[in-house]
Amino acid sequence: MARYSVLLVDDEKEFVTTLAERMQMRGLEPKVAFSGEEALEVLEGHIPDIILLDLKMPGIEGLEVLRRVKKSHPQIQVIIVTGHGSERDKATALRWGAYDHLQKPVDINDLVRIMDRAFQKKADAGLLMSTGSAWTFPWQFRGLLGKREAKG
Amino acid sequence: METDAREVAFFGRITAAFTHEMRNVLAIVRESAGLMEDLLTLSKNDSFPHKERFVRSLATIEAQAKRGIELSGRLNRFAHSTDEARVKIDLNQTLEQIVFLSERFARLKGITVSLIPYSESLPVHTSPIGLHMAVFFSLECCWDRMSTGGSIALSIGQKGSDAIVSFVCQGHVAVAEGTSGLLQDSEADRPIERTVESLGYRVECSATGPGLALIVPLDG
């Protein structure tokens, strides 16, 4: 099973914290940021393998965060997860290097499969430069790790 | 009441924005239900009073959230149909969407509506919201004259530079005396006539049985 770090960026706090908790239960290492600015600050200290990024947020919008991330850290796989995406935004995000563009809500098992593939692509390209291992958690839910592998 | 294109676009813009917010709400509901399901999975060996009912209620929440997501997605697509005055759209996809949006209205009349898709993509350059209105009014013209239990089958054809959407009514259809079909030159038929005329479409009574044919120029 792939182990990687994920940064979730979304101003919908209830959504992003619940999603992070469910990812944690599946053995992933999520960290959350509630705005584009906060996400860029996090990147100064930790470089995740994957970023899940909302598009419409107050302050720096998702597309701008994507542009800056791909410029400064092209090895990070960015997956757009949004309830606001137009076809134009989707085309722009993919053109600017997003790995995928998903509409909220996404089934968590589907999302994890997509993240696994994104991480694998990064690994295949020899781009494993993550400092995400610094993101540690006090517990793991073995039951859901099994569930993830079984569905995987 | 006449509504101009700017008003329609404004209505669509606000509606689309709110459907996005509804998606966020439903996403939170779904993730929260999913978290409870995860916690139940972890404690599967434990039992507590009314666990069965708890599990059943969670399944209901998930199913209804999924239904809400589908509905808000459809409403979002409909709202975005006001984005452009004229644009190239796929007739199969648009009709599938209109049939979905019409189902509730048809159900209240006791009528079912189905679509036989065209064998290939058929692009039409037209007003998306105008096409929605023309097809909806055509359906309404049919089910207003049909008895409960009937059905309307839509199919798509192409003749020269026109696409033809056929509405075939099955079941009892009340055609007024002295008229040749569903269009009866009455006040009730005015919305469809005004709509098709303004779009450069035509609507005709079917020659083969109860029904209508909506003729849509491919490059209108």
Side-chain angles (χ1 to χ4, degrees), chain A residues 139-150:
Chain A
W139 42 263
Q140 294 290 347
F141 287 81
R142 293 291 162 201
L144 284 168
L145 289 179
K147 184 179 172 182
R148 180 186 163 206
E149 282 163 350

Side-chain angles (χ1 to χ4, degrees), chain B residues 86 192-201:
Chain B
R86 298 181 87 77
I192 183 171
E193 287 172 355
R194 277 202 298 265
T195 302
V196 298
E197 194 181 318
S198 67
L199 292 163
Y201 302 174

